Amino acid sequence: MKKFISILKNTSLFSGVNENEIEAMLSCLGAQYRTYPKGAYIFRRGNQLQRIMILAEGCLHIQKDDYWGNRSILAHISPGEMFGEAYIAPQSGPILNDVIAVENSAVLFFNVKKLITTCPSVCPFHAKVVENMFFAISEKNRRLVQKLGHMCERTTREKLISYLSEEAEKQKSASFTIPFNRQQLADYLSVDRSAMSNELCKMRDEGLIRFHKNAFVLLS
């Protein structure tokens, strides 16, 4: 568990808490970790969540498949990101989507009740973690609003422009990589892969973008 302390130090949940303090909190928060091979489900739709998770290694997708196998990717989880916080309320009900490992991954689990209540030893940094969790949930809500913004665009091109513009702004560069391959990007934007690929080629031919696999350059 100690090998993940340096990772936790750079997460939004433990922002402002030093490594010694994090180490002291791990047992207090009931921390555990598990590893998952590529393609494994961390959770399936309908499971009950009683822990908050942080991805320590690898990559996860939160996704949903309909009855006919059509897939929508709701979120991409990178190392250091928290997930499962939407289900921490007692009446939240079961998880609505699947969480799957896109790569070999390691996940840290934290007891929700121990996380949001003061521990018996009254750690002075525990209150900071609770505050951080509040701000992290707010940031997740902001990202959800951004995704809804992409989805509200009417055409495939408009959805691509919205998403690529946001990535350029987030990464502070007109040259950037995205965390999706073509099929995953189509699933994320809820568009047909072939139609999206054709639109990307048209945008390239019109001098709007350059791309190679998941690397993009936006051109003025």
Side-chain angles (χ1 to χ4, degrees):
M1 187 69 72
K2 289 184 179 181
K3 67 179 182 178
F4 297 120
I5 291 177
S6 60
I7 296 173
L8 291 173
K9 184 177 182 296
N10 294 314
T11 65
S12 58
L13 186 62
F14 291 95
S15 177
V17 183
N18 66 45
E19 294 189 7
N20 290 334
E21 292 169 337
I22 293 173
E23 183 176 358
M25 291 186 72
L26 289 179
S27 60
C28 173
L29 299 179
Q32 299 177 345
Y33 85 96
R34 290 187 60 185
T35 58
Y36 298 87
K38 179 180 178 180
Y41 284 82
I42 287 76
F43 293 105
R44 290 183 180 270
R45 182 180 181 184
N47 290 160
Q48 292 283 349
L49 301 189
Q50 298 179 335
R51 293 178 177 270
I52 286 178
M53 285 70 68
I54 290 179
L55 180 62
E57 297 173 349
C59 171
L60 307 178
H61 281 172
I62 299 177
Q63 60 191 42
K64 183 176 182 179
D65 295 344
D66 65 19
Y67 183 83
W68 294 272
N70 299 307
R71 175 164 295 169
S72 295
I73 296 176
L74 286 80
H76 171 92
I77 308 296
S78 299
E81 289 192 67
M82 179 175 68
F83 62 101
E85 71 284 350
Y87 298 92
I88 62 176
Q91 305 303 320
S92 292
I95 186 172
L96 300 176
N97 309 292
D98 298 324
V99 183
I100 190 170
V102 184
E103 304 172 356
N104 293 338
S105 302
V107 178
L108 298 169
F109 296 80
F110 298 91
N111 185 295
V112 171
K113 291 184 179 180
K114 291 184 177 181
L115 188 62
I116 63 178
T117 57
T118 304
C119 60
S121 56
V122 195
C123 305
F125 30 83
H126 199 140
K128 178 64 176 174
V129 172
V130 174
E131 179 184 281
N132 287 344
M133 184 172 67
F134 172 80
F135 290 128
I137 292 174
S138 297
E139 173 62 18
K140 281 290 187 71
N141 288 336
R142 185 186 68 82
R143 292 184 188 180
L144 178 59
V145 170
Q146 286 181 322
K147 186 177 190 301
L148 290 174
H150 306 325
M151 303 302 299
C152 287
E153 300 293 347
R154 294 181 179 273
T155 67
T156 297
R157 175 174 289 210
E158 289 171 343
K159 290 180 180 181
L160 284 167
I161 289 174
S162 177
Y163 173 73
L164 294 174
S165 297
E166 180 197 317
E167 285 298 310
E169 181 178 356
K170 182 170 68 176
Q171 300 187 41
K172 297 181 173 57
S173 174
S175 301
F176 54 87
T177 60
I178 65 173
F180 302 123
N181 60 32
R182 288 291 181 273
Q183 184 60 60
Q184 291 167 348
L185 179 58
D187 292 340
Y188 182 74
L189 296 177
S190 293
V191 296
D192 178 77
R193 176 181 175 177
S194 296
M196 184 194 72
S197 295
N198 289 337
E199 198 60 56
L200 285 171
C201 290
K202 289 179 182 179
M203 293 170 67
R204 178 196 61 197
D205 295 343
E206 293 172 18
L208 297 176
I209 61 174
R210 292 199 308 267
F211 60 84
H212 177 67
K213 295 184 178 180
N214 65 336
F216 286 80
V217 180
L218 305 191
L219 306 173
S220 56

